[in-house]
């Protein structure tokens, strides 16, 4: 069965048991949002106890407070009433295993998938590549706790983020499933 | 119980039943990624049948192919080997209910949450606001199917996206839980 067929079959099963979820309102019932990583091992609905309708979930590579994540968070509170936000990075994140320079060089060489060895990612594909990777900030992570602190501070300091929003900083441990607080981040995200 | 306490309690329950999920590998086992909206009613793991470890999930306001979503998708295939991507917008999306101008004007007036009435969002808060909203493209949606087509085309045409990746375009119906294909989008996202 192809991935596409599997997804459609799983969706049909979900829709058959949909129940009264079609009545849910647009604004999140529990008035909060989570910004976290796209990593396949993370299921924020499961690790944070969300049912459909509860909370906004924003995800990107690293769970970073990119301009786009901030666009989403501002829409989340200004139009849809969230007032507490979680920034949740995680252990063993792929974003810790490369730098902007490594990524741009890999893309220069080819657009095929790189291999991950003991010394980081290395290219195994044939060209052509593209130099476009040099124009992108890949938002890699050098220090996990520091990246949470920086992202909470970036959100807290944004001119469109009101002082009354609480912002919590956590790291998710992919080995245990546990959320571990980054106290300096949570402190930096406290409502003013 | 506060939201924070509820999330931590739910996480403790999840971690207690974590089983062997701590052994999952970093690259997605099923080699695909989903780009979808942050909307609270959407649970992509449930609507598409994902277990932890299966697939990357990227979410923002609207499920749009923003620069940041493309950053994440390029990392997804180049470093972690995904080769099929779903772009999934949805019915009753908040992004259909305002424009860049409306959002910037609302933020000009105040940083408090707006109200949604019959004629769209209107401000009910006290100032001060911020003019910073005029500098952001909010990526609103005027036509749901068209936005899927445009986003699939934007990804397909990106210089860092290889021709061999399959990109599927769908709309999730929040009333029924069903995924509905946007054939023009899927056609535009077919591998070359």
């Amino acid at each position: 069965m192809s991935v596409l067929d599997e997804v459609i079959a799983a969706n049909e099963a979900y829709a058959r048991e949909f129940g009264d979820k079609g009545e849910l309102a647009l604004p999140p019932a529990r008035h909060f949002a989570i910004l976290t990583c796209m990593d396949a091992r993370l299921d924020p609905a499961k690790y944070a106890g969300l049912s459909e309708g509860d909370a906004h979930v924003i995800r990107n590579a690293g769970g970073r407070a990119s301009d786009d994540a901030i666009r989403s968070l501002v829409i989340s509170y200004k139009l849809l009433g969230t007032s507490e936000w979680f920034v949740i990075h995680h252990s063993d994140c792929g974003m810790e295993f490369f730098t902007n320079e490594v990524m741009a060089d890999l893309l220069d060489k080819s657009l095929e998938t790189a291999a991950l060895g003991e010394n980081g990612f290395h290219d195994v594909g044939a060209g052509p590549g593209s130099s476009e990777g040099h124009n992108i900030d890949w938002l890699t992570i050098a220090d996990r706790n520091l990246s949470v602190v920086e992202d909470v501070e970036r959100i807290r300091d944004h001119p469109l983020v009101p002082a009354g929003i609480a912002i919590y900083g956590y790291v998710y441990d992919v080995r245990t499933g546990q959320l571990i607080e980054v106290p300096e981040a949570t402190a930096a995200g406290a409502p003013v």
Side-chain angles (χ1 to χ4, degrees), chain A:
Chain A
M1 211 174 183
S2 70
V3 158
L4 181 55
D5 289 342
E6 287 170 355
V7 166
I8 297 307
N11 177 252
E12 285 169 358
Y14 177 68
R16 274 196 299 276
E17 307 290 328
F18 201 57
D20 58 2
K21 288 194 278 288
E23 309 301 317
L24 288 169
L26 170 57
R30 291 172 64 198
H31 309 292
F32 72 100
I34 292 176
L35 168 60
T36 197
C37 184
M38 70 177 181
D39 190 288
R41 295 165 294 182
L42 273 54
D43 185 336
K46 286 189 184 162
Y47 78 53
L50 309 181
S51 297
E52 290 94 328
D54 278 355
H56 285 143
V57 180
I58 300 156
R59 301 180 67 174
N60 62 36
R64 304 307 310 265
S66 61
D67 290 349
D68 195 52
I70 290 176
R71 172 185 71 87
S72 300
L73 286 168
V74 172
I75 290 169
S76 175
Y77 95 81
K78 177 68 189 176
L79 302 181
L80 297 165
T82 63
S83 56
E84 296 178 84
W85 298 342
F86 293 77
V87 174
I88 305 177
H89 297 178
H90 66 97
S91 62
D92 195 40
C93 184
M95 304 302 287
E96 298 175 5
F97 302 142
F98 65 103
T99 61
N100 273 342
E101 193 179 2
V102 165
M103 185 64 170
D105 286 350
L106 287 171
L107 290 162
D108 261 342
K109 287 181 198 145
S110 94
L111 297 187
E112 294 182 37
T113 298
L116 179 55
E118 280 181 24
N119 297 314
F121 291 100
H122 59 275
D123 218 84
V124 292
S130 163
S131 63
E132 201 61 38
H134 292 278
N135 302 326
I136 294 177
D137 184 346
W138 296 95
L139 305 181
T140 59
I141 293 176
D143 178 304
R144 192 180 301 154
N145 281 20
L146 185 61
S147 70
V148 176
V149 174
E150 285 175 352
D151 281 4
V152 168
E153 287 181 342
R154 181 161 198 249
I155 298 168
R156 166 57 67 219
D157 294 342
H158 195 279
L160 293 177
V161 173
I165 294 202
I167 311 170
Y168 312 117
Y170 279 80
V171 167
Y172 175 84
D173 184 336
V174 296
R175 297 294 159 224
T176 66
Q178 288 175 306
L179 289 173
I180 299 155
E181 191 186 9
V182 182
E184 317 89 281
T186 298
V192 186

